[in-house]
Amino acid sequence: MLEIKNITKKYKTGDFTQTALDNVSIKFRKNEFVSILGKSGSGKTTLLNIISGLDHYDSGDLIINGKTTKKFKDKDWDSYRNNSIGFIFQSYNLIPHISVLKNVELGLTLSGVSKKVKQKKSLEALKRVGLLNHINKKPNQLSGGEKQRVAIARALANDPDIILADEPTGALDTKTSIQIMELIKEISKDKLVIMVTHNPEIAQKYSTRIIELSDGKIQSDTAPYNEQDTTNTYTFKKTAMSFLTAISLSFENIKTKKGRTILTAFASSIGIIGISIILSLSNGFDKQIDSFEQDTLSSFPIIISKETAVIDKDSLTQLATINKQETKKVIYSYDRQTESILHTNKIDNNYIEYVENIKKDNYDAITYIKTTNFNLLINNKINTSSTFNMQSLPLNLDTLDNYINTNYELLSGKLPTKKEEILLYVDSKNRLDTNLISAIGLEEKDEYNYNDFLNIEFKIVNNDDYYLKYNDIYTINNDIDSISKKDLLKIKIVGIVKAKEDNAMARMEEVGYISSNGGILYPSELQDYVIEQNKTSKIVTDQKKVNYNILTKQEFTTKEEKENFLGYLADDSIPYAIYIYPKDFDSKDNILKYLDDYNQDLSDDDKIVYTDMAKTIVDMSSGIMDAITYVLIAFSAVSLVVSGIMIGIIIYISVLERTKEIGILRSLGARKKDITRVFNAETFIIGLSSGILGIVIAYLSLFPINKLLLNLTELENVAKMSPLHVVLMIAIAILVTSIGGFIPSKMASRKDPVEALRTE
Ligand code: ADP
Ligand code: MG
């Protein structure tokens, strides 16, 4: 049934070649007890290793049931070992961290039989060696003889045809040796037992055949066998270790080094903790911003302005570069036309009609802002209102309070309640343009009190008082005294305001979209009054008849210029801005969609670009959040890499520690793949625990973090961990550790099983 034919095995160490087996041929009977005798170094162990397939012959052949093994692949040897061979070693070679029963079951586990069969066969084997009472002990809790019985039970469990024993009694006392030898003799009744021993007495007493080796050659054979082998029935049964078995093996192993594993898992969880917290924070902030947008920002108007900045990521970068100080002494060419972020909206009556058709239930109000010039008498001088950077508020007196309160902060005074009351507005740094200050008539200083401006009065001069006509030619009336004696409408600064910090205006000022130098805001009723007054003035009537500027005789460049300069607006004059106040968040979406529809099929130039104030703010703040998130994640990722390397080292140490186990598993028929699997299982366990640990620690630390944020920002429960992040983080932890453990696991599988068995 088993035959070795002209087997030669040489070991090369450096220049020196040791011939361990020299042209050895032996034929074995199906049942016999063969003792291999010989001095130390004569090649006995080598012979056994070759018979077992743990080591491979250089030349010759090993024939099993008539089948040559010359073409055996690794997996064939593994299956042969698992099915046909049972090993008994001098040093027992039990796996220390698993129970006696588990040790015995191991070979069966590899052959993939059911749990029930596995247990039944193992218990039978343990019964046979008389160890039924010890099945739950760990090997270290047994005596030497008992250990060897476990090893014998393990060799028998899978019911192999061949039992190989390498000095099985070498480490035992005489009394125990006899018991073990009796056991092996018993076994040899229905199996082929090949036992290596250097003890001739034992060989004489128990075996049926003694083969003596010397320097790798057969010296004598007491019962040679030469019959023709007729069996040719060798079949392969695949062996495989399930991942679950690998997990349980590694889990038992890890249990023996709890402290180290916990520390490792903790250290490698640091990256996971970092990333989890960051993700929770940014997740929470995004949600906060979303709800902020829903609640508050929907009240911000959608603005369609004649000139509008296209505020997107590109233009923001552009603004940033514009603001940067150039130190190089060179001049750059710059095409304002193509590089400008300003887009001119061609608002016309068509478009106004389109806007008017927005579904009524979507908006609270639509206001059209038209601004016109008028003449103001202050400080004994007449100026046009443009000098004062005067702007009409988009809402009338009834609805003005709400608008001002949302967008501005009242620094001093009160809000207008009639058309004659106006507001002074300062920029975000409380500044006011010097031109305006001097036009008002205040002396030049660095600082002013609010009271210096409050209650300052302007008088509105009508066209008929200001423009005089002689012989069809208009001139400006320079007689301020006579003008000021007339009954003029007085307007008064009643309050000082500033754009709110988180307000759209302030934001736009910040990014340089609007340069607010401060100015004056007036109720739209004032503008209506001025227009009404000037509409019927002589100069306007005359101006309407001609297309050139009636004062300077120059052509107007635009229609608006003509309409504005005399404080008059045609009924059909186009507003310079349209403000649409959506009812709520959803209706804002509807409106935006409606406005977008208008732009379909239009060229870029003809498109009407609106500014969604709320969105601009949100984009900017969430953009910053995103950037911060990426940076922090990058940092944490570095710690993940570190933990990956650390895991690699830990697994490498584990491979060194478990080398013997690798050898044992291989001798039981484990494939290289299975060995990789054992260590992958170990990394998996560490990865999983570090992931879970990381998530738990991160989750717990969210409580103090949220508390801190509540104190700092008054935002409640900002950091939120989403279930997706939990799954993702655990997956990442497992992935990182797997990568770290990959190389050591591969190294483990490549270990030479013979050498692995030899390590202590
Ligand atoms: P025995 O078991 O009879 O004591 P071995 O079969 O272990 O002898 O060894 C036979 C010879 O081969 C010895 O000289 C030993 O030094 C040598 N040998 C065995 N294994 C190796 C090896 N892996 N590398 C180099 N030499 C080896
Ligand atoms: Mg030996």
Side-chain angles (χ1 to χ4, degrees):
M1 61 146 338
L2 176 71
E3 179 182 1
I4 52 173
K5 234 183 188 169
N6 309 328
I7 290 250
T8 299
K9 174 75 185 176
K10 292 178 175 151
Y11 289 110
K12 276 204 185 94
T13 24
D15 294 338
F16 181 71
T17 305
Q18 173 75 39
T19 307
L21 290 175
D22 188 4
N23 202 22
V24 173
S25 298
I26 311 172
K27 238 179 171 177
F28 295 96
R29 292 177 183 82
K30 200 167 183 307
N31 301 318
E32 61 177 341
F33 190 162
V34 184
S35 283
I36 313 278
L37 266 179
K39 286 192 293 244
S40 181
S42 56
K44 306 184 293 292
T45 301
T46 308
L47 183 65
L48 276 199
N49 285 340
I50 283 181
I51 290 174
S52 73
L54 274 180
D55 210 348
H56 300 314
Y57 47 84
D58 294 337
S59 63
D61 196 4
L62 172 73
I63 297 157
I64 313 154
N65 289 347
K67 187 174 179 69
T68 171
T69 57
K70 272 183 182 160
K71 294 206 173 101
F72 264 33
K73 299 196 188 82
D74 277 349
K75 66 169 203 282
D76 301 328
W77 284 117
D78 294 334
S79 120
Y80 161 69
R81 251 194 321 279
N82 184 253
N83 295 305
S84 309
I85 304 282
F87 254 116
I88 304 168
F89 303 92
Q90 176 178 352
S91 51
Y92 327 123
N93 284 351
L94 301 174
I95 297 176
H97 50 259
I98 58 177
S99 72
V100 165
L101 180 63
K102 285 249 168 70
N103 262 290
V104 175
E105 283 179 347
L106 213 50
L108 289 161
T109 304
L110 288 167
S111 64
V113 297
S114 75
K115 203 175 163 182
K116 225 170 137 188
V117 175
K118 186 167 78 178
Q119 210 169 41
K120 188 173 155 265
K121 285 190 171 182
S122 304
L123 289 174
E124 270 168 19
L126 279 162
K127 189 179 170 196
R128 204 165 161 192
V129 299
L131 278 182
L132 268 187
N133 296 333
H134 301 282
I135 57 169
N136 291 321
K137 285 189 179 172
K138 292 273 167 72
N140 285 345
Q141 296 166 309
L142 300 176
S143 72
E146 285 166 339
K147 278 187 203 165
Q148 197 57 297
R149 282 165 201 258
V150 177
I152 293 170
R154 180 178 61 188
L156 291 177
N158 209 11
D159 196 23
D161 297 328
I162 305 162
I163 298 286
L164 302 177
D166 194 351
E167 313 225 14
T169 57
L172 301 174
D173 58 68
T174 327
K175 199 178 147 219
T176 323
S177 294
I178 292 169
Q179 289 170 354
I180 294 294
M181 282 317 300
E182 291 291 348
L183 195 56
I184 295 174
K185 181 155 177 84
E186 164 75 25
I187 291 162
S188 72
K189 280 184 186 150
D190 58 353
K191 291 191 191 308
L192 167 61
V193 173
I194 305 172
M195 180 185 78
V196 162
T197 179
H198 57 261
N199 186 336
E201 276 168 44
I202 285 185
Q204 292 287 350
K205 188 166 173 201
Y206 294 100
S207 50
T208 56
R209 177 180 178 188
I210 297 170
I211 297 172
E212 210 170 333
L213 276 187
S214 166
D215 290 335
K217 286 197 190 84
I218 295 178
Q219 216 55 32
S220 63
D221 186 345
T222 58
Y225 175 64
N226 269 321
E227 250 142 78
Q228 198 56 41
D229 205 342
T230 48
T231 49
N232 192 355
T233 55
Y234 185 77
T235 48
F236 294 105
K237 267 194 267 164
K238 267 198 216 149
T239 63
M241 188 191 284
S242 71
F243 193 64
L244 227 65
T245 308
I247 288 271
S248 102
L249 258 183
S250 288
F251 186 69
E252 296 298 330
N253 176 265
I254 279 173
K255 278 210 304 211
T256 64
K257 41 186 185 189
K258 284 194 205 88
R260 186 213 289 178
T261 310
I262 290 170
L263 272 182
T264 314
F266 175 66
S268 48
S269 71
I270 289 171
I272 297 290
I273 296 172
I275 295 180
S276 306
I277 292 179
I278 294 158
L279 285 180
S280 303
L281 276 172
S282 86
N283 174 36
F285 270 120
D286 281 351
K287 284 205 177 117
Q288 290 272 357
I289 287 169
D290 277 355
S291 70
F292 178 57
E293 182 178 29
Q294 301 232 12
D295 297 349
T296 325
L297 300 184
S298 63
S299 65
F300 277 61
I302 300 160
I303 301 174
I304 303 147
S305 201
K306 264 192 186 159
E307 273 215 324
T308 185
V310 186
I311 298 188
D312 53 20
K313 283 210 171 85
D314 284 350
S315 59
L316 280 178
T317 349
Q318 236 187 66
L319 284 168
T321 28
I322 290 167
N323 291 338
K324 218 163 57 190
Q325 286 282 324
E326 274 302 341
T327 47
K328 278 194 211 159
K329 291 183 175 155
V330 292
I331 293 171
Y332 300 98
S333 70
Y334 166 67
D335 184 351
R336 191 176 182 276
Q337 215 56 44
T338 58
E339 290 189 36
S340 171
I341 58 163
L342 286 180
H343 173 83
T344 306
N345 280 328
K346 294 175 184 158
I347 301 175
D348 54 15
N349 285 319
N350 243 341
Y351 190 70
I352 290 171
E353 202 178 307
Y354 187 78
V355 168
E356 285 286 344
N357 281 329
I358 295 175
K359 283 210 189 78
K360 291 268 183 297
D361 50 358
N362 278 329
Y363 60 87
D364 282 330
I366 299 177
T367 56
Y368 302 97
I369 302 181
K370 302 177 176 183
T371 284
T372 185
N373 266 340
F374 45 88
N375 319 306
L376 289 168
L377 173 64
I378 182 167
N379 193 29
N380 278 323
K381 265 186 243 134
I382 292 179
N383 280 299
T384 56
S385 55
S386 62
T387 316
F388 299 92
N389 195 11
M390 284 182 87
Q391 285 177 22
S392 171
L393 286 162
L395 291 173
N396 55 27
L397 286 164
D398 295 338
T399 45
L400 183 110
D401 283 15
N402 193 29
Y403 174 79
I404 301 253
N405 286 330
T406 352
N407 294 289
Y408 296 92
E409 184 187 342
L410 184 65
L411 299 175
S412 183
K414 59 164 201 131
L415 296 185
T417 51
K418 44 186 182 186
K419 71 172 187 296
E420 293 86 358
E421 293 178 338
I422 59 174
L423 293 171
L424 180 75
Y425 75 92
V426 294
D427 77 358
S428 58
K429 300 186 179 81
N430 273 26
R431 291 179 306 188
L432 209 54
D433 187 25
T434 46
N435 285 334
L436 199 150
I437 294 173
S438 69
I440 286 174
L442 293 175
E443 58 175 301
E444 242 178 77
K445 285 200 287 186
D446 281 346
E447 283 178 23
Y448 300 88
N449 292 324
Y450 292 151
N451 282 335
D452 295 340
F453 292 95
L454 284 179
N455 297 320
I456 284 181
E457 276 187 349
F458 299 29
K459 285 176 183 162
I460 294 182
V461 182
N462 296 333
N463 282 349
D464 283 339
D465 295 326
Y466 191 44
Y467 301 108
L468 304 175
K469 188 176 177 186
Y470 291 111
N471 307 327
D472 282 345
I473 293 169
Y474 280 95
T475 55
I476 284 170
N477 185 358
N478 284 321
D479 186 1
I480 306 287
D481 278 349
S482 74
I483 293 176
S484 54
K485 275 183 197 120
K486 302 212 160 166
D487 182 25
L488 301 174
L489 181 74
K490 287 183 203 155
I491 57 174
K492 189 163 80 175
I493 297 175
V494 295
I496 301 171
V497 294
K498 169 166 125 173
K500 275 190 178 162
E501 227 171 278
D502 54 359
N503 163 278
M505 306 289 193
R507 280 310 168 121
M508 289 165 74
E509 206 183 280
E510 225 169 75
V511 298
Y513 169 41
I514 49 167
S515 70
S516 166
N517 305 313
I520 280 166
L521 297 169
Y522 55 86
S524 55
E525 281 88 345
L526 180 66
Q527 174 159 288
D528 297 342
Y529 166 83
V530 171
I531 291 171
E532 199 53 43
Q533 292 289 309
N534 291 336
K535 213 152 98 177
T536 51
S537 65
K538 265 181 265 154
I539 187 166
V540 169
T541 320
D542 286 339
Q543 173 67 74
K544 276 187 186 168
K545 292 174 195 157
V546 290
N547 263 330
Y548 52 87
N549 184 319
I550 205 158
L551 281 177
T552 62
K553 307 275 189 258
Q554 279 170 344
E555 289 287 325
F556 289 112
T557 44
T558 62
K559 183 169 173 282
E560 289 74 30
E561 197 182 323
K562 174 178 171 181
E563 289 174 353
N564 282 341
F565 106 106
L566 289 175
Y568 155 75
L569 289 172
D571 289 339
D572 66 346
S573 80
I574 304 297
Y576 82 81
I578 306 169
Y579 281 51
I580 305 167
Y581 295 85
K583 265 213 158 61
D584 53 35
F585 196 71
D586 289 334
S587 51
K588 190 183 91 175
D589 272 355
N590 292 338
I591 295 172
L592 293 184
K593 211 182 150 299
Y594 179 78
L595 295 180
D596 285 339
D597 283 347
Y598 181 87
N599 286 335
Q600 253 176 1
D601 310 323
L602 289 183
S603 72
D604 275 356
D605 272 356
D606 289 338
K607 280 191 174 127
I608 305 279
V609 179
Y610 55 78
T611 309
D612 174 8
M613 272 309 150
K615 192 171 175 301
T616 309
I617 296 173
V618 169
D619 280 357
M620 279 159 57
S621 29
S622 65
I624 292 165
M625 262 316 287
D626 282 354
I628 295 174
T629 306
Y630 291 141
V631 169
L632 292 178
I633 285 184
F635 275 116
S636 303
V638 172
S639 60
L640 273 187
V641 172
V642 172
S643 50
I645 294 169
M646 203 168 56
I647 295 287
I649 296 168
I650 293 289
I651 297 297
Y652 176 68
I653 293 171
S654 179
V655 167
L656 293 183
E657 284 171 349
R658 297 174 77 180
T659 302
K660 185 86 170 209
E661 189 179 335
I662 295 171
I664 298 167
L665 287 169
R666 294 301 304 277
S667 76
L668 289 171
R671 300 165 302 169
K672 288 184 176 173
K673 241 192 224 169
D674 300 325
I675 303 298
T676 310
R677 205 165 262 187
V678 167
F679 291 96
N680 283 345
E682 188 166 332
T683 53
F684 176 80
I685 292 170
I686 297 179
L688 185 67
S689 5
S690 83
I692 292 173
L693 196 66
I695 288 288
V696 168
I697 295 177
Y699 183 77
L700 293 178
S701 51
L702 291 187
F703 292 101
I705 287 174
N706 274 334
K707 196 146 205 177
L708 189 73
L709 284 174
L710 182 65
N711 288 341
L712 290 176
T713 65
E714 284 169 21
L715 294 176
E716 227 170 314
N717 284 328
V718 174
K720 278 197 191 88
M721 195 176 278
S722 85
L724 181 74
H725 291 159
V726 173
V727 176
L728 193 74
M729 283 300 110
I730 292 181
I732 287 179
I734 293 172
L735 185 75
V736 167
T737 46
S738 302
I739 292 171
F742 180 77
I743 292 171
S745 304
K746 274 273 171 264
M747 277 169 52
S749 75
R750 299 232 170 91
K751 273 201 187 296
D752 177 4
V754 177
E755 263 165 45
L757 276 172
R758 210 174 282 158
T759 52
E760 274 319 311

